[in-house]
Amino acid sequence: MRKSLPSEARSLPTASVRDTVAAINAALGAAADPWGVASWWLTPSTRLREGQTPADLAADPDPAAGRKLERLASAVLPD
C-alpha cells in the first residue's frame, strides 16, 4: 500500500515533507497515533481564521506561517 502526503505538506521541487510539518508530526506523536494527528491537521482551529485548518497554514510559504503553526501545535502538547 502506497502512502502519500497532502500536497500542502510537501515541498514541490523534491516532494519531501517540509521540515516544520515533519517536526510537528513527530512532536504530536504521528507514529503512534496517525489518525489523531491527521485529525488535528484537518480540523478547523478556533485559534485560526474561521474555517482554517493547520494544513491550510502549512500550505502558506511565508516563514511567519511556519512559526504560527509551531505555536499552534505547542498549544496541544502536554506540559
Side-chain angles (χ1 to χ4, degrees):
M1 179 175 171
R2 181 174 174 241
K3 295 181 182 179
S4 64
L5 299 167
S7 61
E8 61 272 354
R10 296 187 302 255
S11 297
L12 291 179
T14 63
S16 62
V17 177
R18 293 181 183 174
D19 291 340
T20 302
V21 172
I24 290 170
N25 279 342
L28 295 178
D33 183 16
W35 289 106
V37 175
S39 177
W40 179 83
W41 282 105
L42 300 173
T43 301
S45 172
T46 58
R47 295 173 181 254
L48 300 174
R49 290 189 323 246
E50 186 174 334
Q52 191 176 27
T53 68
D56 295 328
L57 197 56
D60 189 332
D62 184 352
R67 291 187 296 275
K68 185 174 184 178
L69 188 57
E70 290 168 346
R71 288 191 306 274
L72 184 66
S74 70
V76 299
L77 293 173
D79 292 329

